Amino acid sequence: MLKLVGLVSVQSIFLVASQIFLKMALASFGTFEWTLRYFKNVFTNIPFALSGISIAVASLLWVYILKHFEFSVAYPLISISYIFGLLAAYFIFHENIPATRWLGAFIIVIGVYFITKK
């Protein structure tokens, strides 16, 4: 079970990293225009490329997880990504996180605990 939790945690980190890079890329694109310059900016944007690479790695890890572990355990465990997303919002994007969201994250942690218990 520890191996599964570790793999899902790494997969979730790549999944959240993809969203972080995508948010950074979108902030730098500016207003949408049907111009070559705009699309050149999009497809030469490093955070946009890193987002694609991160989601590809997350997907490959997910394929491995699905192949080797029970779906009824693996799928609920990807809720760990919500915890990482909340932490990224707080530490990277400096968002104000209300107590109700922290409580929700704590409930997810409790759920993950119960899912991993046999």
Side-chain angles (χ1 to χ4, degrees), residues 33-77:
E33 300 172 2
W34 286 102
T35 63
L36 184 59
R37 191 179 102 207
Y38 179 83
F39 286 100
K40 182 180 177 189
N41 181 33
V42 168
F43 292 109
T44 59
N45 187 289
I46 298 298
F48 190 64
L50 292 172
S51 176
I53 292 167
S54 296
I55 198 69
V57 172
S59 297
L60 290 173
L61 281 168
W62 185 240
V63 167
Y64 178 85
I65 290 166
L66 285 178
K67 182 168 176 59
H68 293 92
F69 297 96
E70 293 180 26
F71 186 77
S72 64
V73 178
Y75 192 74
L77 288 182

Side-chain angles (χ1 to χ4, degrees), residues 86 88-102:
L86 188 68
Y90 183 76
F91 288 109
I92 296 172
F93 298 113
H94 308 289
E95 295 179 7
N96 185 21
I97 311 294
T100 53
R101 287 189 205 143
W102 290 115

